[in-house]
Amino acid sequence: MKHPALSCLALCLPFFASSAHAEDIMSILARKAEAPSPLAPSSIDYTYTLTLDVKSREGKDLSEGQAVLRIDPTQPPGSRAQILSASDAESEALQDFLKEIEDEDNTMEKQAEGFWCGPSDVDSQSDFSPDNFTVVSEDESQAILRPNPDKLAELLMQSDENADENGRKMMKKLLKRIEGDVTLSKPSGDMTGFSVRMTRPMTMMLVAKLKTMTVEQSCELAPNGHYRIGVMDMNVEGKALGSRFGQEIYMEISDLTPIP
């Protein structure tokens, strides 16, 4: 009769052998650089539900609002969003959000850039070169990588390319006070989330200081096999003229339905 411990060892050895030879994330990124994965789609072929929760503070004034929207990105500006429910349909936060969705300059390509996770063009594929990251942690299913400061600055400045001169100056100042992480799945190397956080306060103007800024985003697989935004959570807090200000935005995308 075989000893139970030996039986367990015999069962476990194949597992440990395969784990020992599992491909590390830097090797995966190097492999993908040689044979890039398909780019994120430039369109959205789904209607979807968007759940929004906004909380704002200006001094002693607190406000919050929740809304559930059904979005059809293929519709013309002015008819893309249907309000399913809202705590206050006329709230400033919701109206600003709807204005952005319905903007005629918010083309399908721009909508897609804000919907899908991962590179959307050949240039952004190179952002995931192994040289641009250091490994924070890694296991069999995923790895968390930290972009090198120069690469993080480049990525954020690209996202802020439409800002005015003062906005870009503020972004350059902010870049000295933030760090970020990217989560990649294994063995595909696809991005499944990211986070950005401010490491120390920043004086924005003579009378205002930004104390906290965090952004976290998770990604989920869509039916077409590409990762899309699942949840985005942003929090900003500061103080101006002796009064606190802040805003927290939680956004969740769900219930994707293919458009015929």
Side-chain angles (χ1 to χ4, degrees):
M1 179 178 178
K2 185 179 290 186
H3 194 281
L6 295 179
S7 299
C8 179
L9 181 61
L11 291 172
C12 292
L13 278 176
F15 171 78
F16 285 119
S18 62
S19 297
H21 293 89
E23 191 175 15
D24 66 86
I25 191 62
M26 288 304 187
S27 298
I28 291 172
L29 291 181
R31 170 170 54 78
K32 291 189 69 172
E34 296 295 327
S37 301
L39 294 171
S42 58
S43 63
I44 308 172
D45 298 324
Y46 304 93
T47 60
Y48 58 91
T49 297
L50 191 152
T51 302
L52 182 67
D53 188 346
V54 180
K55 299 176 182 177
S56 300
R57 169 192 288 272
E58 290 188 14
K60 295 182 179 181
D61 295 331
L62 302 175
S63 63
E64 59 180 282
Q66 298 80 35
V68 179
L69 312 174
R70 189 67 185 173
I71 309 296
D72 185 344
T74 64
Q75 293 300 308
S79 56
R80 294 171 182 154
Q82 175 189 4
I83 300 177
L84 301 182
S85 65
S87 59
D88 181 1
E90 301 302 321
S91 70
E92 183 177 352
L94 178 56
Q95 290 302 313
D96 287 345
F97 195 84
L98 290 172
K99 184 178 179 180
E100 184 174 345
I101 291 176
E102 302 291 2
D103 191 339
E104 63 180 9
D105 292 330
N106 190 19
T107 63
M108 175 58 77
E109 289 76 14
K110 289 184 178 180
Q111 292 183 72
E113 288 176 2
F115 183 86
W116 300 106
C117 301
S120 58
D121 55 47
V122 175
D123 290 338
S124 60
Q125 277 185 327
S126 64
D127 293 335
F128 288 87
S129 166
D131 296 336
N132 293 331
F133 296 92
T134 55
V135 178
V136 176
S137 64
E138 182 174 8
D139 58 27
E140 293 299 310
S141 62
Q142 68 176 28
I144 298 177
L145 307 182
R146 183 158 298 165
N148 297 334
D150 289 345
K151 176 51 62 177
L152 180 60
E154 180 183 330
L155 293 173
L156 292 177
M157 289 302 289
Q158 286 175 358
S159 68
D160 198 47
E161 60 183 6
N162 293 323
D164 58 20
E165 183 178 354
N166 289 334
R168 293 181 68 83
K169 286 182 179 179
M170 192 66 66
M171 175 62 76
K172 289 180 179 180
K173 187 175 181 180
L174 179 61
L175 288 172
K176 299 177 182 179
R177 293 167 169 79
I178 62 173
E179 63 182 15
D181 294 327
V182 178
T183 303
L184 303 179
S185 66
K186 295 177 62 178
S188 69
D190 292 328
M191 186 176 76
T192 58
F194 74 84
S195 64
V196 177
R197 56 203 162 271
M198 194 167 68
T199 57
R200 65 184 192 275
M202 180 184 78
T203 300
M204 300 170 60
M205 297 174 286
L206 292 178
V207 295
K209 177 176 286 189
L210 187 62
K211 293 187 173 182
T212 301
M213 187 197 74
T214 60
V215 180
E216 295 186 5
Q217 177 179 298
S218 63
C219 305
E220 297 181 8
L221 271 176
N224 63 3
H226 289 276
Y227 279 93
R228 50 86 178 177
I229 292 177
V231 171
M232 191 279 287
D233 196 350
M234 181 185 74
N235 182 42
V236 176
E237 296 180 8
K239 199 170 187 179
L241 295 173
S243 298
R244 294 171 59 190
F245 68 85
Q247 186 173 58
E248 183 175 353
I249 300 176
Y250 174 89
M251 184 181 75
E252 181 176 0
I253 292 176
S254 60
D255 302 326
L256 271 64
T257 302
I259 298 175

